[in-house]
Amino acid sequence: MEEAKKIVGDIINKKIAPIYFLMGEEPYYIDRITDYIAKNVLTEEEQGFNQMTVYGKDTTVDEIVSNAKRFPMMAEYQVVIVKEAQHLSRTIEQLAEYAKNPQPTTVLVFNYKYKKLDKRKKVYKEIAKTGIIFESKKLYENQVADWIRRVLSGKGYKITPKAAALLVEFLGTDLSKISNELEKLYLVLKKNTEITADNIETHIGISKDYNNFELKKAVGERNFEKASRIVAYFAQNPKDNPFVVTISLLNNFFIQLLQYHGLTDHSQRNVASSLGVSPYFVKEYQTAAKNYPMKSISGIIAGLRKLDLMGKGLGAQNLSQADLLKELLNTVF
């Protein structure tokens, strides 16, 4: 995020590189930087003659280089954007010669998603000397809630830990998808608002009471009645609550609980750091540890893994989600 901000800041300050190679597993920042360059390096009047977008699957490196070597018309720069550039991965090494001595009046942008250049290759080394290489790494799930908080803070909002956890649970680590949902909140909530689970439920449609986050909490508290209500809701809404997601989350929860028991320092800070969770949720692990001794957890994890295989059709034929969820409760209670 900071590196992306620096690239944009440099462009604002007219420190513009001749090549921007934007690559990596997380497409969000690749697209954001590409869009910023497309909208801000040239004026609207200049864009008509001096900006072009091509697609990797429809072009070649030679054609891109040929376009890049042209001079701008009545403008300081021309911008050449290559989207879906990952389709050129087999021939991208051919760009090395151009990268040695790029056209200074051309801004050449490669939108190279889900892949990255080999740092040992000549093309990487040449681009690194004359241009900008930006690698957009996918965030781990335990990093996404902090990312949400930082993004919202930049927009003038706050968010409760539970609301952030709900977003991560239902949207995963896809930053573009999360960003799109946050846009909905900007439209209906005033700045300086603290976004709550109620806001998420009302404006995004994620239930604040019937979700894996609440199921995990109910299991940790050994609250069978609450867990049963949530499981019944999941059984009635299987498409919105895939069994594979539920079993995976609970399996990870018990693995973390096993790690918790192995810690000698149970302070909030150390637990949060060791388990990779928000300090806000440490109390849940403290409560669950009292309800699930270390000896019982290994058996539960083994049972969950067996159930996971059953959910995938191994060892049990045509078992409904409702039946799988009943077995899940029997395994953890």
Side-chain angles (χ1 to χ4, degrees):
M1 187 173 182
E2 293 305 316
E3 190 178 352
K5 282 183 177 180
K6 184 180 184 307
I7 290 172
V8 170
D10 285 345
I11 293 171
I12 291 171
N13 293 322
K14 304 301 180 184
K15 292 173 61 178
I16 299 175
I19 303 175
Y20 290 89
F21 204 98
L22 314 173
M23 64 183 191
E25 291 296 319
E26 176 49 65
Y28 177 77
Y29 285 112
I30 294 173
D31 286 335
R32 290 292 294 267
I33 295 171
T34 300
D35 290 344
Y36 186 84
I37 291 172
K39 294 175 182 177
N40 293 279
V41 170
L42 302 177
T43 65
E44 287 187 22
E45 293 77 13
E46 292 171 337
Q47 288 173 13
F49 290 103
N50 297 288
Q51 185 159 302
M52 67 184 303
T53 300
V54 297
Y55 291 82
K57 60 183 177 180
D58 300 323
T59 190
T60 65
V61 173
D62 284 343
E63 289 173 349
I64 293 165
V65 169
S66 178
N67 287 321
K69 287 182 176 180
R70 294 186 310 184
F71 290 96
M73 293 178 61
M74 297 178 289
E76 188 177 357
Y77 296 103
Q78 71 153 341
V79 175
V80 179
I81 297 172
V82 187
K83 292 192 173 182
E84 299 175 6
Q86 65 271 15
H87 291 288
L88 296 166
S89 60
R90 292 182 180 179
T91 57
I92 198 66
E93 189 67 20
Q94 295 171 11
L95 184 66
E97 287 304 311
Y98 175 79
K100 275 185 183 180
N101 186 28
Q103 177 73 291
T105 55
T106 293
V107 180
L108 178 56
V109 183
F110 283 87
N111 195 294
Y112 198 86
K113 296 179 182 177
Y114 314 116
K115 292 185 177 183
K116 57 184 181 179
L117 295 179
D118 187 335
K119 294 181 180 181
R120 299 168 297 179
K121 296 290 187 179
K122 184 178 179 182
V123 65
Y124 182 97
K125 294 175 181 177
E126 295 298 341
I127 296 173
K129 290 176 187 176
T130 59
I132 299 291
I133 296 179
F134 171 78
E135 183 179 350
S136 187
K137 297 179 180 179
K138 205 165 189 66
L139 296 183
Y140 293 111
E141 189 169 310
N142 62 6
Q143 297 174 312
V144 178
D146 284 336
W147 180 86
I148 291 171
R149 279 190 281 274
R150 291 198 302 271
V151 169
L152 288 172
S153 178
K155 295 284 187 178
Y157 295 86
K158 294 180 180 180
I159 189 168
T160 65
K162 181 177 179 179
L166 282 176
L167 287 172
V168 176
E169 181 197 335
F170 279 85
L171 302 175
T173 59
D174 188 330
L175 303 188
S176 296
K177 189 184 292 185
I178 294 172
S179 180
N180 289 338
E181 295 302 326
L182 293 180
E183 291 289 341
K184 296 178 184 178
L185 299 177
Y186 303 150
L187 293 174
V188 294
L189 300 176
K190 295 179 180 178
K191 285 191 176 183
N192 299 317
T193 297
E194 182 174 50
I195 297 167
T196 65
D198 287 331
N199 297 140
I200 299 298
E201 181 175 51
T202 301
H203 302 298
I204 296 181
I206 301 172
S207 173
K208 68 177 178 24
D209 296 316
Y210 297 96
N211 56 71
N212 286 314
F213 169 76
E214 288 297 324
L215 176 61
K216 181 181 74 172
K217 185 177 180 182
V219 168
E221 294 171 348
R222 293 195 77 91
N223 187 333
F224 183 80
E225 184 180 346
K226 181 179 177 182
S228 297
R229 288 199 304 270
I230 296 171
V231 161
Y233 178 86
F234 285 2
Q236 293 170 2
N237 300 275
K239 289 184 179 179
D240 294 331
N241 303 279
F243 180 75
V244 64
V245 175
T246 300
I247 192 85
S248 176
L249 182 139
L250 286 179
N251 183 63
N252 289 339
F253 173 64
F254 278 101
I255 289 174
Q256 288 175 315
L257 203 54
L258 198 60
Q259 293 172 333
Y260 176 91
H261 277 295
L263 296 175
T264 54
D265 179 0
H266 287 134
S267 65
Q268 184 184 60
R269 178 180 294 182
N270 187 61
V271 171
S273 175
S274 299
L275 302 188
V277 299
S278 166
Y280 175 84
F281 298 114
V282 168
K283 285 185 179 179
E284 291 185 15
Y285 290 89
Q286 292 170 336
T287 299
K290 294 175 183 176
N291 291 322
Y292 292 92
M294 182 180 281
K295 290 182 180 179
S296 69
I297 294 175
S298 296
I300 291 172
I301 292 173
L304 289 174
R305 288 178 177 170
K306 181 179 178 181
L307 197 55
D308 180 44
L309 293 175
M310 292 170 64
K312 293 171 180 173
L314 300 175
Q317 297 297 320
N318 300 319
L319 206 59
S320 70
Q321 176 152 319
D323 289 334
L324 288 168
L325 289 166
K326 287 179 183 177
E327 288 298 321
L328 178 66
L329 289 182
N330 291 335
T331 301
V332 299
F333 281 99

